[in-house]
């Protein structure tokens, strides 16, 4: 499976902060925001990843992550000059995806939870149709909402419904088989001129090939796209890291635990950041594995 991180847009909900810096490089506690969706793909077992962003922001993101070899990844980059909908990511990333299934994650979404990696890896294997992920919320009218039958098959998808049929918001992480490329090519733009991800999902729904996996109470899902939600995300991560003594979305640790790199390589990455608590943590993790 290939991966795509959609890190485009202008970050207007975070203005004036994002007038000068990419939203994906803003700090969530002790690491940049893009580490969180990147770690979700890595925990899914995905190593070949395309990062899509604006022409202005891409050089900054590339400076941070490079080609990914230090993490045992293959990272490539593509431009989305204007935000034309989430589904445009499949058109931009068609050559990257090739004939493989693909996972799309939004660059401002944060996931964390017990056995979250098991959920990802189980659902990333042998994808037929699409796999969406649902999260219970108190205000489902603000989100795309999925309703399922007892087997977990989707029976309806509604965008910001006035009377939601369920409380399961569809989060910004999606697994698709290779048919998504043709589906995206044949989409009609919305009234806003965008290719909507909900329209892609409805095609799969009509074909009877859409599932909704409930992340449940053991997981946390945060959208860090506004000043308030960015601050809340930082507070959540800070509290958990201080309490548990582990770091969420430490990409060096994820790469080590997934077997993408060995302990020696991880330790060298920690040495590069030796003057920070983050770097000392990376070195400690590497030493534990030795």
């Amino acid at each position: 499976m290939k991966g795509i991180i959609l890190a485009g847009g202008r970050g207007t909900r975070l203005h004036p902060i994002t007038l000068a810096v990419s939203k994906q490089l803003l700090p969530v506690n002790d690491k940049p925001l893009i580490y969180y969706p990147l770690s979700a793909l890595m925990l899914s077992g995905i190593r070949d990843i395309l990062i899509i962003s604006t022409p202005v922001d891409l050089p900054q993101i590339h400076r941070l992550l490079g080609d990914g070899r230090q993490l045992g990844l293959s990272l490539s980059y593509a431009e989305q000059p204007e935000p034309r909908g989430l589904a445009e990511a499949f058109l931009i990333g068609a050559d990257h995806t090739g004939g493989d299934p693909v996972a799309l994650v939004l660059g401002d979404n944060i996931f964390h939870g017990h056995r979250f990696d098991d959920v990802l890896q189980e659902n990333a294997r042998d994808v037929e149709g699409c796999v969406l992920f649902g999260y219970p919320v108190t205000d489902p009218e603000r989100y795309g909402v999925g309703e399922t039958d007892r087997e977990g098959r989707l029976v309806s998808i509604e965008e910001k419904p006035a009377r939601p049929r369920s409380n399961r918001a569809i989060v910004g992480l999606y697994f698709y088989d290779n048919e998504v490329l043709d589906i995206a090519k044949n989409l009609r733009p919305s009234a806003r001129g965008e290719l909507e991800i909900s329209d892609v999902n409805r095609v799969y729904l009509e074909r009877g090939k859409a599932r909704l996996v409930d992340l449940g109470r053991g997981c946390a899902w945060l959208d860090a796209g506004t000043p308030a939600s960015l601050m809340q995300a930082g507070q959540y991560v800070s509290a958990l890291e201080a309490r548990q003594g582990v770091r969420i979305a430490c990409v060096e640790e994820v790469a080590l635990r997934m077997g993408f790199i060995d302990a020696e390589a991880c330790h060298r990455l920690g040495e590069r950041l030796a003057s920070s608590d983050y770097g000392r943590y990376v070195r400690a993790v590497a030493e534990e594995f030795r």
Side-chain angles (χ1 to χ4, degrees):
M1 176 177 275
K2 302 289 180 63
I4 297 176
I5 300 176
L6 184 56
R10 303 186 186 91
T12 53
R13 293 184 298 168
L14 284 161
H15 280 177
I17 305 169
T18 47
L19 290 173
V21 64
S22 167
K23 173 172 66 174
Q24 278 69 38
L25 299 182
L26 295 177
V28 177
N29 196 35
D30 58 352
K31 62 192 75 71
L33 175 55
I34 199 170
Y35 274 28
Y36 295 86
L38 176 60
S39 69
L41 294 183
M42 294 169 67
L43 288 170
S44 304
I46 299 170
R47 303 175 71 168
D48 195 347
I49 298 168
L50 175 69
I51 299 173
I52 300 174
S53 191
T54 68
V56 172
D57 292 338
L58 270 181
Q60 302 174 53
I61 298 172
H62 185 273
R63 181 181 177 187
L64 173 69
L65 298 173
D67 61 9
R69 279 186 292 180
Q70 73 278 11
L71 298 171
L73 306 176
S74 174
L75 300 182
S76 53
Y77 300 84
E79 293 183 356
Q80 186 187 42
E82 297 291 335
R84 297 190 181 94
L86 305 187
E88 190 186 30
F90 302 116
L91 305 185
I92 296 171
D95 290 341
H96 165 75
T97 302
D100 295 318
V102 60
L104 173 67
V105 64
L106 304 188
D108 59 3
N109 275 219
I110 296 171
F111 305 93
H112 175 255
H114 179 59
R115 301 189 70 84
F116 179 55
D117 54 340
D118 292 336
V119 173
L120 293 177
Q121 291 166 36
E122 178 183 349
N123 287 283
R125 288 194 295 267
D126 303 320
V127 175
E128 293 184 8
C130 78
V131 180
L132 310 177
F133 295 89
Y135 189 80
V137 294
T138 57
D139 49 355
E141 65 278 358
R142 294 181 53 225
Y143 303 96
V145 175
E147 178 190 11
T148 64
D149 62 18
R150 292 182 179 179
E151 283 71 45
R153 289 188 297 265
L154 272 175
V155 296
S156 73
I157 298 174
E158 301 175 288
E159 280 297 319
K160 300 181 179 179
R163 296 180 179 179
R165 297 181 184 179
S166 87
N167 69 336
R168 291 174 179 161
I170 297 174
V171 306
L173 175 65
Y174 317 85
F175 292 169
Y176 296 99
D177 63 19
N178 196 254
E179 292 181 21
V180 73
L181 301 185
D182 287 332
I183 292 171
K185 286 177 187 175
N186 292 301
L187 282 184
R188 288 186 176 182
S190 68
R192 297 184 299 175
E194 298 183 354
L195 301 179
E196 303 287 355
I197 199 73
S198 56
D199 291 337
V200 171
N201 297 336
R202 285 193 188 94
V203 172
Y204 280 106
L205 175 62
E206 292 166 2
R207 295 178 180 178
K209 298 176 68 176
R211 288 193 301 119
L212 185 69
V213 175
D214 196 345
L215 293 179
R217 295 184 179 181
C219 286
W221 166 56
L222 302 164
D223 174 350
T226 67
S229 61
L230 184 67
M231 181 177 294
Q232 290 166 2
Q235 291 169 339
Y236 171 85
V237 172
S238 176
L240 254 67
E241 291 186 347
R243 168 76 69 172
Q244 298 180 352
V246 298
R247 275 176 161 75
I248 299 169
C250 173
V251 291
E252 296 85 357
E253 180 179 12
V254 174
L256 177 60
R257 296 190 184 278
M258 292 297 295
F260 299 168
I261 60 175
D262 61 21
E264 293 301 324
C266 184
H267 196 274
R268 286 194 297 272
L269 293 174
E271 286 288 346
R272 293 170 50 198
L273 309 169
S275 61
S276 69
D277 287 341
Y278 183 91
R280 286 187 283 273
Y281 174 82
V282 172
R283 285 189 298 168
V285 168
E287 289 166 1
E288 177 188 331
F289 263 72
R290 279 174 167 171

